Amino acid sequence: MSFRVRVLCLVILVAVSATAATAWLTLRQASQQINDSATVDRAQLDQVVAQLETYGSQHGTWEGVPALVRTLRVQTGQRIHLVADTGTVIVDTDTLEKRTARPLGTVVGFVDPRPVLNLAALPADPAGREKGVVSAISAYRLGVLFAACLTRESVPVVTSPTSTGVPQFDPDRDADDARRQREVDEIVRGCRDVAARSGPVRTAGVAFLGCDAPGAAELRDSCLTQVFAKQISDVAPAPARVYLGARGDPASTLATGPLLAAAAGIAAVVIVGTVLLSRRVLRPIGTLTATAQRLGRGDLTGRVTVRGNDELAELARSFNRMADSLQRGEERQRRLVADVAHELRTPLANLRGYLEALSDGVITPDQELFASLLEEAVLQQRIVDDLQELALAEAGNLAYHRVRVDLAELLETCATAHHARAEAAGVSLRVAADPVAVRADPDRLRQVVGNLVTNAIRASTAGGSVRLVASHTDTEAIVRVVDTGSGIAADALPHVFDRFWRADAARGRRTGGSGLGLAIARQIVTDHQGTIAVESEVGAGTTFTITLPRAVQDGSSGLRSVPETFG
């Protein structure tokens, strides 16, 4: 991951964390304040109402409900006040806890444990439905009176749902021993007698309400529902209201602990992130600064340790490449000065010696001496010209006039130009070229090939040969200069294109040249987007290979095939 992306992610992380923590704390505290101002959570109210309704519908009475209310008080931590619709207080936790009853809270729930009659489970005809309602009324009255009696006697009651919506009440006979079982059976019989005396309802009570009058079925069903509710109202547990909390309870204050903890956490994240970021950025920059100062003082050996793959690592690599380039340039400059001094020292010393001898009258001036001195001066001029040409080429300031060039014709021209030299050295010069065109400066290419041919003739002994070969692939033109000379040692091949390098250091300048020709040739080929390589074997000969891009739309019909010729 790049350094920029890591910084961005860190900033986003801090910003999102701070925003999320602030929003969460604000919402949490605001919600808590709202809930505290109401003194109770709605879920607690629903829990209390549900359990009270279950108790009332199961036991058929509010007797015994204080025990449940105590439990709910512990569970919710709220003051619970249960009061019937008639205004009778059923239970209040303040009273249970022997404290003065406080003003009622503002959160109110309605508890109605009475069953709702399901008329759909009764017959559809009016008479059958009325009979079903009377049966449901009787069943509920008997059952709820029975359940209330069992509750007073501390016998657990279980209920079972029915299709009409009227629950069925039964005692829980899970007694621990036979004695308790007999006691429960006795209580059950007594409670059934109590229910039988007070539970039945008169059949005529239904008709007296007028539900049998003609009218829509919906009106008749509504009347029957009202009859059911009225006939069970004297035995069913009364509907009631439940109040949670107390008016005037102190509202909870905003807790500063979470806010401070979150702020400390965010501050810690920012501090740690800043420290890590500073170390990650400043330490490499400090190293770069120190190394750059060393370079400024002239110490070109300093380098920076590279770690990772981000922008800082790439900066370190670039710095090292720059330092390498500076060091190589410095070394090249020193070598160049040393090489130029070496190349010019001997001929200049010769010139000076001859001139001093002439001045002192030690030797007699003649035409041969002047010719020798002129040749020596021309040689030095050639070295200077080669150095200037190489400097221009390496600086990219060497002028090129590119045209379409037929390499076959160019090689034959070079062979013709060097024929006399080859013949004088007893070396055969041959050309074997396929027609292939490139876009190049013909004079510069002839300069490159001419240098290679000159070196090949010098390296070859009498009876040897030099071949100029041109071939091509689909995209490249290839020129080879092959000789059968003495060859170049393997350890010397990497230095062939160095300035002032000679395969035989002892060879004179007259036979070995200035040592700049191959360096110039390589730069010219490189400027033509090509490559030049060398292969050699001591005693077998040397092959120089030039590879150049072929000209676009070569059109071989315009090129002639050059047969192999011999010099």
Side-chain angles (χ1 to χ4, degrees), residues 24-26 28-30 32-33 36 251-263:
W24 177 76
L25 285 173
T26 301
R28 181 175 178 273
Q29 295 301 318
Q32 184 66 33
Q33 289 291 95
D36 290 344
S252 59
T253 59
L254 184 63
T256 58
L259 287 174
L260 294 177

Side-chain angles (χ1 to χ4, degrees), residues 279-301:
R279 292 184 60 188
R280 183 67 183 92
V281 174
L282 297 181
R283 185 163 56 184
I285 291 178
T287 304
L288 280 172
T289 302
T291 309
Q293 291 173 347
R294 290 174 58 189
L295 289 178
R297 292 192 296 266
D299 182 4
L300 301 181
T301 61

